[in-house]
Amino acid sequence: MPDLRDLRGRPLGRNGNPASARPAHAAGHRTRAQERIDEIDVSPTKLLADIEALKGELESTRTKVDEYLAGLQRERAEFTNFRRRTSEEREQMLGLAGEDLIRKVLAIADDFDLAIDNRPPEIADNSWVEGVAAIDRKLRALLESEGVRPIDAEPGTPFDPREHEAIATVPGSGRAEGEIVDVVRRGYKLRDRVIRPALVAVAAGEATNDAADAPPTH
């Protein structure tokens, strides 16, 4: 077959196109990539050492992650506790402010009690007196709507130091010792907590005959 060439003198292939140049590696030349590959140590010893090093780095990273996570959890717990304490303190402050206001209102309720209990009989049916009593009822309803309830201290009720405050003892009242004889001032609870004990007079025990007949000691 004749040696075919193009107008520039380049050899032509069988299909009439210029013959492709031979690749560089076919002529014995090495590329930079091949040289870099040859420089890489892929021996089993080197690979095992690299694996152990990576394991150490992974373990160190996990330890740091656990430390950061624990620190974050502590911060979140402290923040949650801070919010709870702040909320409780706020509720407590509001509660104290509310109690102070309620005590002032109770002082006004005491004045209504005195006015109604000591009204002269001749004006008991007066419309003005009825108006005062209506205002008193509205005031009681307002207190009840806020959770304020009167303490039970009717005569005959057993004295309870948690709810009652004895300011007098009454001998010969006909009631059992320790029972309430009279209420001097109403007491109140705010929900389940006593905010003002009831002032009461309590029946005293009768002296025994032996004690009454005993001569005085000097």
Coordinates of all heavy atoms in Angstrom, one line a residue, residues 70-140:
A70 N -22.4 17.8 76.5 CA -22.6 17.9 77.9 C -22.7 19.3 78.4 O -23.6 19.7 79.2 CB -21.6 17.1 78.7
G71 N -21.8 20.1 77.8 CA -21.8 21.6 78.2 C -23.1 22.2 77.8 O -23.7 23.0 78.5
L72 N -23.5 21.9 76.5 CA -24.7 22.5 76.0 C -25.9 22.1 76.9 O -26.8 22.9 77.2 CB -24.9 22.1 74.6 CG -26.2 22.6 73.9 CD1 -26.3 24.1 73.9 CD2 -26.3 22.0 72.5
Q73 N -26.0 20.8 77.3 CA -27.1 20.3 78.1 C -27.1 21.0 79.4 O -28.1 21.3 80.0 CB -27.0 18.8 78.2 CG -27.3 18.0 76.9 CD -27.0 16.5 77.1 OE1 -26.3 16.1 78.0 NE2 -27.6 15.8 76.2
R74 N -25.9 21.2 80.0 CA -25.8 21.9 81.3 C -26.3 23.3 81.2 O -27.1 23.8 82.0 CB -24.4 21.9 81.8 CG -23.9 20.6 82.4 CD -22.6 20.8 83.2 NE -21.6 21.3 82.4 CZ -20.7 20.5 81.7 NH1 -20.8 19.2 81.8 NH2 -19.7 21.1 81.0
E75 N -25.9 24.0 80.1 CA -26.4 25.4 79.8 C -27.9 25.4 79.7 O -28.6 26.3 80.2 CB -25.7 25.9 78.6 CG -24.2 26.2 78.7 CD -23.9 27.3 79.8 OE1 -24.7 28.2 79.9 OE2 -22.8 27.2 80.4
R76 N -28.4 24.5 79.0 CA -29.9 24.4 78.8 C -30.6 24.2 80.1 O -31.6 24.8 80.4 CB -30.3 23.3 77.8 CG -29.9 23.6 76.3 CD -30.4 22.6 75.4 NE -31.9 22.6 75.4 CZ -32.6 21.7 74.6 NH1 -32.0 20.8 73.9 NH2 -33.9 21.8 74.7
A77 N -30.0 23.2 80.9 CA -30.7 23.0 82.2 C -30.6 24.2 83.1 O -31.6 24.5 83.8 CB -29.9 21.8 82.9
E78 N -29.5 24.9 83.1 CA -29.3 26.1 83.9 C -30.3 27.2 83.5 O -30.9 27.9 84.3 CB -27.9 26.6 83.9 CG -26.9 25.7 84.6 CD -25.5 26.1 84.5 OE1 -25.3 27.2 83.8 OE2 -24.6 25.5 85.0
F79 N -30.4 27.3 82.2 CA -31.3 28.3 81.6 C -32.8 28.0 82.0 O -33.6 28.8 82.3 CB -31.2 28.4 80.1 CG -32.1 29.4 79.5 CD1 -31.9 30.8 79.7 CD2 -33.1 29.0 78.7 CE1 -32.7 31.7 79.1 CE2 -34.0 30.0 78.1 CZ -33.8 31.3 78.3
T80 N -33.1 26.7 81.9 CA -34.5 26.2 82.3 C -34.7 26.5 83.7 O -35.8 27.0 84.1 CB -34.7 24.7 82.0 OG1 -34.5 24.5 80.6 CG2 -36.1 24.3 82.3
N81 N -33.8 26.2 84.6 CA -33.9 26.5 86.0 C -34.0 28.0 86.3 O -34.8 28.4 87.1 CB -32.7 25.9 86.8 CG -32.7 24.4 86.8 OD1 -33.7 23.7 86.6 ND2 -31.5 23.8 86.9
F82 N -33.2 28.8 85.5 CA -33.3 30.2 85.7 C -34.7 30.7 85.3 O -35.3 31.6 86.0 CB -32.2 30.9 84.8 CG -32.4 32.4 84.7 CD1 -32.0 33.2 85.8 CD2 -32.9 32.9 83.6 CE1 -32.1 34.6 85.7 CE2 -33.0 34.3 83.5 CZ -32.6 35.1 84.5
R83 N -35.2 30.2 84.2 CA -36.6 30.7 83.8 C -37.6 30.3 84.8 O -38.5 31.0 85.2 CB -36.9 30.1 82.4 CG -36.2 30.6 81.3 CD -36.6 30.1 80.0 NE -38.0 30.3 79.7 CZ -38.7 29.9 78.7 NH1 -38.1 29.1 77.8 NH2 -40.0 30.1 78.5
R84 N -37.5 29.0 85.4 CA -38.4 28.6 86.4 C -38.3 29.4 87.7 O -39.4 29.8 88.2 CB -38.2 27.1 86.7 CG -39.3 26.5 87.6 CD -39.0 25.1 88.0 NE -37.9 24.9 88.8 CZ -36.7 24.4 88.4 NH1 -36.6 24.0 87.1 NH2 -35.7 24.3 89.2
R85 N -37.1 29.7 88.1 CA -36.9 30.5 89.3 C -37.5 31.9 89.1 O -38.2 32.5 90.0 CB -35.5 30.6 89.7 CG -34.9 29.3 90.3 CD -33.6 29.6 91.0 NE -32.6 30.2 90.1 CZ -31.8 29.5 89.3 NH1 -31.8 28.2 89.4 NH2 -30.9 30.1 88.5
T86 N -37.2 32.5 87.9 CA -37.7 33.8 87.6 C -39.2 33.8 87.6 O -39.8 34.8 88.1 CB -37.2 34.3 86.2 OG1 -35.7 34.2 86.3 CG2 -37.6 35.7 85.9
S87 N -39.8 32.8 87.0 CA -41.3 32.7 87.0 C -41.9 32.6 88.4 O -42.8 33.2 88.7 CB -41.7 31.6 86.1 OG -43.1 31.4 86.1
E88 N -41.2 31.7 89.2 CA -41.7 31.5 90.5 C -41.6 32.8 91.4 O -42.5 33.2 92.1 CB -40.9 30.4 91.2 CG -41.3 29.0 90.6 CD -40.4 27.9 91.2 OE1 -39.4 28.3 92.0 OE2 -40.7 26.7 90.9
E89 N -40.4 33.5 91.2 CA -40.2 34.7 91.9 C -41.3 35.8 91.5 O -41.8 36.6 92.3 CB -38.8 35.3 91.7 CG -37.8 34.4 92.4 CD -36.4 34.8 92.0 OE1 -36.2 35.8 91.2 OE2 -35.4 34.2 92.5
R90 N -41.5 35.8 90.2 CA -42.5 36.8 89.7 C -43.9 36.5 90.3 O -44.6 37.4 90.7 CB -42.6 36.7 88.2 CG -43.6 37.7 87.6 CD -43.5 37.7 86.0 NE -44.5 38.5 85.4 CZ -45.7 38.1 85.1 NH1 -46.1 36.9 85.4 NH2 -46.5 38.9 84.5
E91 N -44.3 35.2 90.2 CA -45.6 34.8 90.8 C -45.6 35.1 92.3 O -46.7 35.5 92.8 CB -45.8 33.3 90.6 CG -46.0 32.9 89.1 CD -47.3 33.5 88.5 OE1 -48.2 33.7 89.3 OE2 -47.3 33.8 87.3
Q92 N -44.5 34.9 93.0 CA -44.5 35.1 94.4 C -44.6 36.6 94.7 O -45.4 37.0 95.6 CB -43.2 34.6 95.0 CG -43.1 34.8 96.5 CD -41.8 34.2 97.1 OE1 -40.9 33.9 96.4 NE2 -41.8 34.1 98.4
M93 N -44.0 37.5 93.9 CA -44.1 38.9 94.1 C -45.5 39.4 93.8 O -46.1 40.2 94.5 CB -43.1 39.6 93.2 CG -41.6 39.4 93.6 SD -40.5 40.3 92.4 CE -40.9 42.0 92.7
L94 N -46.1 38.8 92.7 CA -47.5 39.2 92.4 C -48.4 38.7 93.5 O -49.3 39.4 93.9 CB -47.9 38.6 91.0 CG -47.2 39.2 89.8 CD1 -47.6 38.4 88.6 CD2 -47.6 40.7 89.6
G95 N -48.1 37.5 94.0 CA -48.9 37.0 95.1 C -48.9 37.9 96.3 O -49.9 38.1 97.0
L96 N -47.6 38.3 96.7 CA -47.5 39.1 97.9 C -48.2 40.5 97.7 O -48.8 41.0 98.6 CB -46.0 39.3 98.2 CG -45.2 38.1 98.6 CD1 -43.7 38.4 98.7 CD2 -45.8 37.6 100.0
A97 N -48.0 41.0 96.5 CA -48.7 42.3 96.2 C -50.2 42.1 96.3 O -50.9 43.0 96.8 CB -48.3 42.8 94.8
G98 N -50.7 41.0 95.7 CA -52.1 40.7 95.8 C -52.6 40.5 97.2 O -53.7 41.0 97.6
E99 N -51.8 39.8 98.0 CA -52.2 39.6 99.4 C -52.3 41.0 100.2 O -53.2 41.2 101.0 CB -51.2 38.7 100.1 CG -51.4 37.2 99.8 CD -50.5 36.3 100.6 OE1 -50.1 36.8 101.7 OE2 -50.2 35.2 100.1
D100 N -51.3 41.8 99.9 CA -51.3 43.1 100.6 C -52.5 43.9 100.3 O -53.2 44.5 101.1 CB -50.0 43.9 100.2 CG -49.9 45.2 101.0 OD1 -49.8 45.1 102.2 OD2 -49.8 46.3 100.3
L101 N -52.9 43.9 99.0 CA -54.1 44.6 98.6 C -55.4 43.9 99.2 O -56.3 44.6 99.7 CB -54.3 44.5 97.1 CG -55.5 45.2 96.5 CD1 -55.6 46.7 96.8 CD2 -55.5 45.0 94.9
I102 N -55.4 42.6 99.3 CA -56.6 41.9 99.9 C -56.7 42.3 101.3 O -57.8 42.5 101.9 CB -56.4 40.4 99.6 CG1 -56.7 40.1 98.2 CG2 -57.4 39.6 100.5 CD1 -56.4 38.6 97.8
R103 N -55.6 42.3 102.0 CA -55.6 42.7 103.5 C -56.2 44.1 103.7 O -57.0 44.3 104.6 CB -54.2 42.6 104.1 CG -53.7 41.2 104.3 CD -52.5 41.1 105.1 NE -52.0 39.8 105.3 CZ -51.1 39.2 104.6 NH1 -50.6 39.8 103.6 NH2 -50.7 37.9 104.8
K104 N -55.9 45.0 102.8 CA -56.4 46.3 102.9 C -57.9 46.3 102.6 O -58.7 47.0 103.3 CB -55.7 47.3 101.9 CG -54.3 47.5 102.2 CD -53.6 48.4 101.2 CE -52.2 48.6 101.5 NZ -51.5 49.5 100.5
V105 N -58.4 45.5 101.6 CA -59.8 45.4 101.4 C -60.5 44.7 102.6 O -61.6 45.1 102.9 CB -60.0 44.6 100.1 CG1 -61.5 44.3 99.9 CG2 -59.4 45.3 98.9
L106 N -59.8 43.8 103.2 CA -60.5 43.1 104.4 C -60.7 44.1 105.5 O -61.6 44.0 106.3 CB -59.6 41.9 104.9 CG -59.5 40.7 103.9 CD1 -58.6 39.7 104.5 CD2 -60.9 40.1 103.7
A107 N -59.8 45.1 105.6 CA -60.0 46.1 106.7 C -61.2 46.9 106.4 O -62.0 47.2 107.3 CB -58.8 47.0 106.7
I108 N -61.5 47.1 105.1 CA -62.8 47.8 104.8 C -64.0 46.9 105.1 O -65.0 47.4 105.6 CB -62.8 48.2 103.3 CG1 -61.6 49.2 103.0 CG2 -64.1 48.8 102.9 CD1 -61.4 49.6 101.6
A109 N -63.8 45.6 104.8 CA -64.9 44.7 105.1 C -65.2 44.6 106.6 O -66.3 44.5 107.0 CB -64.5 43.3 104.6
D110 N -64.1 44.8 107.4 CA -64.3 44.8 108.8 C -65.2 46.0 109.2 O -66.1 45.9 110.1 CB -63.0 44.9 109.6 CG -62.2 43.6 109.4 OD1 -62.8 42.6 109.1 OD2 -60.9 43.7 109.6
D111 N -64.9 47.1 108.6 CA -65.7 48.3 108.9 C -67.2 48.1 108.5 O -68.1 48.6 109.3 CB -65.2 49.6 108.1 CG -63.8 50.0 108.6 OD1 -63.4 49.6 109.8 OD2 -63.1 50.6 107.8
F112 N -67.4 47.4 107.4 CA -68.8 47.1 107.0 C -69.5 46.2 108.1 O -70.6 46.4 108.5 CB -68.9 46.5 105.7 CG -68.9 47.4 104.5 CD1 -67.8 47.7 103.8 CD2 -70.1 48.0 104.2 CE1 -67.8 48.6 102.7 CE2 -70.2 48.9 103.1 CZ -69.0 49.2 102.4
D113 N -68.7 45.2 108.6 CA -69.2 44.3 109.6 C -69.6 45.1 110.8 O -70.7 44.9 111.4 CB -68.1 43.3 110.0 CG -68.0 42.2 108.9 OD1 -68.9 42.1 108.1 OD2 -66.9 41.5 108.9
L114 N -68.8 46.0 111.3 CA -69.1 46.8 112.5 C -70.3 47.7 112.3 O -71.2 47.8 113.1 CB -67.9 47.7 112.9 CG -66.6 46.9 113.4 CD1 -65.5 47.9 113.6 CD2 -67.0 46.3 114.7
A115 N -70.4 48.3 111.1 CA -71.5 49.2 110.8 C -72.8 48.4 110.8 O -73.8 48.9 111.3 CB -71.3 49.9 109.5
I116 N -72.8 47.3 110.1 CA -74.0 46.5 110.0 C -74.4 45.8 111.3 O -75.6 45.8 111.7 CB -73.9 45.4 108.9 CG1 -73.7 46.1 107.5 CG2 -75.1 44.5 108.8 CD1 -73.4 45.2 106.4
D117 N -73.4 45.3 112.0 CA -73.8 44.6 113.3 C -74.2 45.6 114.4 O -74.9 45.2 115.3 CB -72.5 43.8 113.8 CG -72.2 42.6 112.9 OD1 -73.1 42.2 112.1 OD2 -71.1 42.1 112.9
N118 N -73.8 46.8 114.3 CA -74.1 47.8 115.4 C -75.1 48.9 114.9 O -75.2 49.9 115.5 CB -72.8 48.5 115.8 CG -71.9 47.5 116.5 OD1 -72.1 47.1 117.7 ND2 -70.8 47.1 115.8
R119 N -75.9 48.6 113.8 CA -76.9 49.6 113.4 C -78.0 49.6 114.4 O -78.4 48.6 115.0 CB -77.4 49.2 112.0 CG -78.2 47.9 111.9 CD -78.5 47.6 110.5 NE -79.4 46.4 110.4 CZ -78.9 45.1 110.4 NH1 -77.6 44.9 110.5 NH2 -79.7 44.1 110.3
P120 N -78.5 50.8 114.7 CA -79.6 51.0 115.6 C -80.9 50.2 115.1 O -81.1 50.2 113.9 CB -79.9 52.5 115.6 CG -78.6 53.1 115.2 CD -78.0 52.1 114.2
P121 N -81.6 49.6 116.0 CA -82.8 48.8 115.6 C -83.8 49.7 114.8 O -84.5 49.2 113.9 CB -83.3 48.3 116.9 CG -82.2 48.3 117.8 CD -81.3 49.4 117.4
E122 N -83.9 51.0 115.2 CA -84.9 51.8 114.6 C -84.7 52.1 113.1 O -85.6 52.5 112.4 CB -85.1 53.1 115.4 CG -83.8 54.0 115.5 CD -83.0 53.6 116.7 OE1 -83.2 52.5 117.3 OE2 -82.1 54.4 117.0
I123 N -83.4 51.9 112.7 CA -83.2 52.2 111.3 C -82.8 50.9 110.5 O -82.3 50.9 109.4 CB -82.0 53.2 111.1 CG1 -80.7 52.6 111.6 CG2 -82.4 54.5 111.7 CD1 -79.5 53.5 111.3
A124 N -83.1 49.7 111.1 CA -82.7 48.5 110.5 C -83.4 48.3 109.2 O -82.8 47.6 108.3 CB -83.1 47.3 111.5
D125 N -84.6 48.8 109.0 CA -85.3 48.6 107.7 C -85.1 49.8 106.8 O -85.8 49.9 105.7 CB -86.8 48.3 108.0 CG -87.0 47.0 108.7 OD1 -86.2 46.1 108.6 OD2 -88.0 47.0 109.5
N126 N -84.3 50.7 107.1 CA -84.1 51.9 106.3 C -83.4 51.5 105.0 O -82.6 50.7 104.9 CB -83.2 52.9 107.1 CG -83.1 54.3 106.4 OD1 -82.3 54.4 105.4 ND2 -83.8 55.2 106.9
S127 N -83.9 52.2 103.9 CA -83.3 51.9 102.6 C -81.8 52.2 102.5 O -81.1 51.5 101.8 CB -84.1 52.7 101.5 OG -84.0 54.1 101.8
W128 N -81.4 53.2 103.2 CA -79.9 53.5 103.2 C -79.1 52.4 103.8 O -78.1 52.0 103.3 CB -79.7 54.8 104.0 CG -78.3 55.3 104.0 CD1 -77.7 56.0 103.1 CD2 -77.3 55.0 105.0 NE1 -76.3 56.2 103.4 CE2 -76.1 55.6 104.6 CE3 -77.3 54.3 106.2 CZ2 -74.9 55.5 105.4 CZ3 -76.2 54.2 107.0 CH2 -75.0 54.8 106.5
V129 N -79.6 51.8 104.9 CA -79.0 50.7 105.6 C -79.0 49.5 104.6 O -78.0 48.8 104.5 CB -79.7 50.3 106.9 CG1 -79.0 49.1 107.5 CG2 -79.6 51.5 107.9
E130 N -80.1 49.3 103.9 CA -80.1 48.2 102.9 C -79.1 48.4 101.8 O -78.5 47.5 101.3 CB -81.5 48.1 102.3 CG -82.6 47.5 103.3 CD -82.2 46.1 103.8 OE1 -81.7 45.3 102.9 OE2 -82.5 45.8 104.9
G131 N -78.9 49.7 101.4 CA -77.9 50.0 100.4 C -76.5 49.6 100.9 O -75.6 49.1 100.1
V132 N -76.2 49.9 102.2 CA -74.9 49.6 102.7 C -74.7 48.1 102.8 O -73.6 47.6 102.4 CB -74.8 50.2 104.2 CG1 -73.5 49.7 104.8 CG2 -74.7 51.7 104.1
A133 N -75.8 47.4 103.1 CA -75.7 45.9 103.2 C -75.5 45.3 101.8 O -74.7 44.3 101.6 CB -77.0 45.3 103.8
A134 N -76.1 46.0 100.8 CA -75.9 45.5 99.4 C -74.4 45.7 98.9 O -73.8 44.8 98.3 CB -76.8 46.2 98.4
I135 N -73.8 46.8 99.3 CA -72.4 47.1 99.0 C -71.6 46.0 99.7 O -70.6 45.5 99.1 CB -72.0 48.5 99.4 CG1 -72.8 49.5 98.6 CG2 -70.5 48.7 99.2 CD1 -72.6 51.0 99.0
D136 N -71.9 45.7 100.9 CA -71.1 44.7 101.7 C -71.2 43.3 100.9 O -70.2 42.6 100.8 CB -71.7 44.6 103.1 CG -70.9 43.5 103.9 OD1 -69.7 43.7 104.1 OD2 -71.6 42.5 104.2
R137 N -72.4 43.0 100.4 CA -72.5 41.7 99.7 C -71.7 41.7 98.4 O -71.1 40.7 98.1 CB -74.0 41.4 99.4 CG -74.8 41.1 100.7 CD -76.2 40.5 100.3 NE -77.0 41.6 99.6 CZ -77.8 42.4 100.3 NH1 -77.9 42.3 101.6 NH2 -78.5 43.3 99.6
K138 N -71.7 42.8 97.7 CA -70.9 42.9 96.5 C -69.4 42.8 96.9 O -68.6 42.1 96.1 CB -71.1 44.2 95.8 CG -72.5 44.3 95.1 CD -72.6 45.6 94.4 CE -74.0 45.7 93.7 NZ -74.2 47.0 93.0
L139 N -69.0 43.4 98.0 CA -67.6 43.3 98.4 C -67.2 41.8 98.7 O -66.1 41.3 98.3 CB -67.3 44.2 99.6 CG -65.9 44.2 100.1 CD1 -64.9 44.7 99.0 CD2 -65.8 45.1 101.3
R140 N -68.1 41.1 99.4 CA -67.9 39.7 99.7 C -67.8 38.9 98.5 O -66.9 38.0 98.4 CB -69.0 39.2 100.6 CG -69.2 40.0 101.9 CD -68.1 39.9 102.9 NE -68.3 40.7 104.0 CZ -67.5 40.9 105.0 NH1 -66.3 40.2 105.0 NH2 -67.7 41.7 106.0

